[in-house]
Amino acid sequence: MRTLLTGGAVFVKDRPDLLGGGDVLVDGTKIAAVGRLTDEPADKVIDTTGCLVLPGLVNTHQHDWYIYGKGLGGSMLLEQWITDCLFPLKSSLTVDDLRLASEVSSLDMLRGGTTTAVNHQVNETTAADEDAILRPAAETGIRQFFGKVIRPKDILDDYLSARACHETWDGQAGGRVRVGFVLEATAHWVHMGTSSEEMIVGGHKLAVEKDTFVSSHIAGGTLSRDSGYLKFVLETGRTDPQFLHRIGVLDDRWILAHTIYPRDNDMDLIAAAGSTVAHTPSSEAARGGGITPVKTMLSNGIRVAIGTDGPMVDLTNDMIEQLKWTRLMQNQVHLDADSIPLEHLIAMGTAEGARAVRAENLFGTLEVGKAADIAVFDLMTLHAGPVHNPLSTFVHAARGRDAKHVMVEGDLLIEDGRFTRVDDLYITELLRQAGDRGRALARRAGLAE
């Protein structure tokens, strides 16, 4: 089937003229042509006038089951939130909780124009857990890059489990499901016994063998001498990036989530390794974590992508919010109204995310031959219009709910703002179940009231 998206502002690197109006032709699962197209035969024509057409957003750091913790944790700083909120909830999850959360989170992200997400696990998963997470996600049509946890406690069993997960799921759903590994390396996790040098080296070796990504929380939390990241830096005499560099594993496979507090030569090490920082600005602000020096990182040659972290932290999966927060916070820190150029900022939410999961040749830009992962955002709204600069309007005034059409591999999953695979009654029932499960989970974890 050939689908023509016509008349919208089209975001293509090095083609600013297309922001004045352009077209994208999709043939089957691939992008067949981009530009100002005339007389192109198409089975379906979608008028995108008044809209911004861009690659589907790529969320490089997300925890799907966090939907159940929205609003819990109150005013806790990160370190207390981890021990008093996250861990009790994590230990009380059921397989059915994971199944429902996966579907709701995937639909939520698709509705906001996110076509790819890295689901970074903080909990150990069995084969049954992985089926509960990945099967419903695949059925929604989203791309999921699943981060399988490896832990040091039963390390040999975890290596076998990680290998089995990769062999079972990597490449499923026509390649929309991919599997990488979570190797927690930040000082907090080492202190809690959930990381070790042996585990990281062995897990990284497996990632190299499978040619996949590695995700890890790095240099985050508060900069407290009593319980925060600084405490562990002073005790160990090294930073998280220095640790990874010293044991010989820091390379371009790593997605370094947060990285709020790079110190000493950290930025040089990250840049030289080609690792990607996954920046989650509203999450970091919600827990009093600080402001990641994104502008300085970019100036230092570090690749930075964008993530949402999960709604238990900041109550949102909206990637546009993250783009806006990223730019405004860097503007404020640097007293610069153009701290991150809009074109690069949007690339951080698209192309850089694709590169982080080692899929830059597959999606992330609107190029002929790439997968038709496309999001069309309506800018003709009361809260966004009138439009002078579509990129500025998108970043500063649009919302995730403005996604009008969303495609993954040419499959139109959102059309005119509505799901094509499920109806409103189905969504309402999902949300009712999610509410019931969230409250029951909070009670089991001792966090209700």
Side-chain angles (χ1 to χ4, degrees):
M1 179 173 176
R2 288 165 66 89
T3 302
L4 181 65
L5 307 172
T6 182
V10 180
F11 176 73
V12 177
K13 183 181 179 182
D14 301 326
R15 288 293 306 272
D17 58 301
L18 294 183
L19 290 174
D23 311 299
V24 179
L25 179 66
V26 175
D27 190 349
T29 63
K30 304 290 186 182
I31 296 172
V34 180
R36 289 192 171 90
L37 310 176
T38 57
D39 301 324
E40 287 283 357
D43 303 297
K44 184 182 184 69
V45 177
I46 298 176
D47 184 2
T48 58
T49 303
C51 300
L52 177 63
V53 183
L54 72 161
L57 298 169
V58 181
N59 185 342
T60 52
H61 189 67
Q62 157 72 2
H63 305 285
D64 280 3
W65 69 261
Y66 279 18
I67 63 162
Y68 292 127
K70 282 186 176 182
L72 296 177
S75 58
M76 296 178 186
L77 292 175
L78 183 70
E79 290 79 18
Q80 183 189 5
W81 176 84
I82 289 174
T83 57
D84 295 359
C85 186
L86 171 60
F87 277 24
L89 289 170
K90 180 171 76 78
S91 63
S92 301
L93 284 168
T94 68
V95 172
D96 289 336
D97 290 337
L98 293 172
R99 181 177 294 108
L100 182 66
S102 179
E103 184 174 11
V104 173
S105 293
S106 296
L107 291 171
D108 182 23
M109 286 186 284
L110 282 170
R111 186 62 189 86
T114 294
T115 55
T116 299
V118 176
N119 188 5
H120 177 121
Q121 298 300 298
V122 294
N123 46 305
E124 301 82 356
T125 52
T126 64
D129 294 332
E130 289 147 17
D131 186 88
I133 294 166
L134 291 168
R135 196 171 300 280
E139 289 172 355
T140 68
I142 200 170
R143 290 187 191 276
Q144 177 159 146
F145 284 73
F146 180 77
K148 165 72 174 178
V149 165
I150 297 175
R151 293 279 192 249
K153 184 178 179 182
D154 299 305
I155 192 167
L156 294 180
D157 288 343
D158 271 19
Y159 289 152
L160 292 173
S161 177
R163 186 180 293 276
C165 177
H166 191 278
E167 292 173 354
T168 300
W169 285 103
D170 190 68
Q172 292 297 311
R176 287 185 289 103
V177 173
R178 302 304 303 270
V179 176
F181 306 117
V182 171
L183 304 175
E184 296 295 8
T186 195
H188 296 285
W189 293 86
V190 174
H191 175 73
M192 290 185 288
T194 51
S195 180
S196 72
E197 182 174 326
E198 179 188 6
M199 179 208 82
I200 294 169
V201 171
H204 180 263
K205 182 178 179 181
L206 182 59
V208 172
E209 175 191 328
K210 298 300 184 182
D211 192 22
T212 190
F213 68 96
V214 174
S215 184
S216 184
H217 293 99
I218 293 291
T222 62
L223 204 61
S224 164
R225 286 176 176 268
D226 298 323
S227 60
Y229 179 58
L230 181 58
K231 173 179 186 287
F232 299 109
V233 170
L234 294 174
E235 287 179 357
T236 60
R238 51 83 174 166
T239 66
D240 293 345
Q242 288 168 356
F243 172 55
L244 294 176
H245 173 73
R246 289 174 186 174
I247 63 176
V249 299
L250 188 63
D251 60 15
D252 64 352
R253 299 179 187 281
W254 288 83
I255 300 174
L256 307 176
H258 311 311
T259 320
I260 307 171
Y261 296 112
R263 296 165 52 88
D264 305 328
N265 65 337
D266 283 353
M267 288 197 203
D268 292 336
L269 295 176
I270 294 169
S275 307
T276 300
V277 169
H279 180 47
T280 61
S282 67
S283 159
E284 291 154 18
R287 291 292 155 215
I291 301 175
T292 304
V294 173
K295 177 178 169 61
T296 306
M297 287 179 172
L298 295 174
S299 299
N300 211 72
I302 293 174
R303 296 179 178 271
V304 182
I306 302 296
T308 60
D309 202 19
M312 183 159 63
V313 189
D314 54 358
L315 282 76
T316 183
N317 283 328
D318 191 333
M319 281 284 286
I320 304 180
E321 284 189 32
Q322 307 311 311
L323 294 174
K324 181 176 181 178
W325 275 74
T326 296
R327 193 165 199 252
L328 294 187
M329 293 175 80
Q330 297 303 306
N331 285 358
Q332 185 77 339
V333 168
H334 294 279
L335 303 179
D336 179 355
D338 189 29
S339 61
I340 303 174
L342 291 166
E343 293 82 358
H344 188 77
L345 182 69
I346 294 174
M348 288 163 60
T350 53
E352 292 294 351
R355 184 263 170 198
V357 293
R358 309 177 71 77
E360 65 269 31
N361 293 327
L362 178 62
F363 59 86
T365 56
L366 300 181
E367 293 183 62
V368 173
K370 286 195 174 182
D373 290 12
I374 301 171
V376 179
F377 287 89
D378 187 2
L379 302 183
M380 296 293 287
T381 62
L382 286 172
H383 55 270
V387 179
H388 295 287
N389 179 334
L391 299 186
S392 181
T393 297
F394 172 68
V395 169
H396 295 106
R399 302 166 185 167
R401 290 283 297 181
D402 295 333
K404 191 173 184 179
H405 309 290
V406 180
M407 278 184 173
V408 177
E409 290 195 330
D411 192 352
L412 198 58
L413 302 175
I414 304 288
E415 184 173 14
D416 290 321
R418 305 181 75 87
F419 289 102
T420 60
R421 295 188 176 186
V422 296
D423 59 25
D424 291 346
L425 288 176
Y426 183 81
I427 297 296
T428 298
E429 175 59 19
L430 277 184
L431 292 174
R432 184 195 66 76
Q433 292 180 33
D436 290 345
R437 286 195 170 277
R439 287 183 286 273
L441 177 61
R443 287 194 295 272
R444 292 197 302 272
L447 295 173
E449 292 296 324

